[in-house]
Structures are given as structure tokens and as C-alpha cells.
Amino acid sequence: MTDLNSAPAGKEHRSPIEVDELHKLVMQSLDDDQAVEVISIPLAGKSSIADHMVIASGRSSRQVASMAGKLADKIKQASGKVVRIEGLPVADWVLIDADDVIVHLFRPEVRSFYNLERMWAFGDEARPPSAATGG
């Protein structure tokens, strides 16, 4: 019988994923799943809750739930850490707390109503790319 507490350091869990790697993984996963209007708000030095807040929309509750499940699986696979998820199975607004990166996934109507971008934006940095380029 193996005692997990006696395993060599670093063997019982995967090494922690770096914040930038985690952020990149989140952004790539959302891109792979065809999330729309994906924005990332840098929070490092502005809030202690996380280093990044990512906000994205899915076209339906089903897509939002699917994106959330896939993202949680990818984070677990990369870091060995189980993320906290709120808002399933309804999936109008799903929050994924991956510690250093907080992800909000919305149906478009719900996202418009809560308008988190406006609440959390600090200047122009949270603007979607299309608004920043005028197109």
C-alpha cells in the first residue's frame, strides 16, 4: 500500500502551471470552442482576486456549458487542479475560478445585461479588438 503523503515532493501532483500559461490555455480553449467577443482584462496590481479576468460569450446555453466543461478539463489536465465552476446546468452565466484566471462565460443577452466589461475595465484595455480598431 502506497502512502500519498510519503511520496517525493512534486510527485503527488503536477507542477503548478504558470499564470501566463494558464491565461494562454484559457484563451486558446475559448478560441477552439468558437467563443465570441472574447476579452481579457488584466487585473494584476489592480485587484487581489486574480491576475486576469476573461469574459466571453457562447451562442446558446448549450455552447456555454460545453465550453465551461472543456475548459475545466483542460485546466485540470495541464495543472492537476480542479477548478471551481458556478452556474451549471442553466449556463446563462458560468463562472470558472482557476485562481489566477477568472473566466465568465455568458449567453449574449445575459452578458449585455450585466456588462462586466464596463464594471471591471480600467481604461481602454478591456475593449474588444474590433472596437479598438474601429471595425
Side-chain angles (χ1 to χ4, degrees):
M1 183 172 192
T2 304
D3 181 7
L4 292 177
N5 293 329
S6 65
K11 294 291 183 187
E12 61 272 15
H13 299 289
R14 291 186 178 179
S15 61
I17 189 169
E18 295 293 325
V19 175
D20 291 338
E21 291 175 51
L22 177 61
H23 182 251
K24 184 177 176 182
L25 181 140
V26 167
M27 298 301 282
Q28 185 62 54
S29 179
L30 294 175
D31 186 56
D32 292 347
D33 290 338
Q34 300 178 348
V36 293
E37 296 184 46
V38 180
I39 65 160
S40 179
I41 302 172
L43 298 178
K46 298 172 185 169
S47 175
S48 62
I49 65 167
D51 289 338
H52 299 279
M53 179 180 295
V54 177
I55 303 171
S57 296
R59 292 176 182 83
S60 66
S61 295
R62 188 176 195 162
Q63 185 188 13
V64 169
S66 175
M67 289 189 304
K70 288 178 184 178
L71 181 55
D73 288 344
K74 288 178 183 179
I75 293 171
K76 183 178 181 183
Q77 187 175 30
S79 68
K81 193 165 53 169
V82 177
V83 297
R84 293 169 296 283
I85 301 177
E86 297 289 332
L88 291 177
V90 175
D92 285 338
W93 174 2
V94 177
L95 171 89
I96 302 167
D97 182 355
D99 292 332
D100 295 316
V101 179
I102 304 292
V103 183
H104 295 275
L105 302 175
F106 289 97
R107 280 191 314 102
E109 307 80 37
V110 178
R111 181 175 179 171
S112 298
F113 181 79
Y114 287 103
N115 199 1
L116 288 186
E117 295 92 328
R118 186 168 164 220
M119 182 187 312
W120 281 97
F122 299 96
D124 292 335
E125 56 209 13
R127 251 200 243 160
S130 61
T133 60

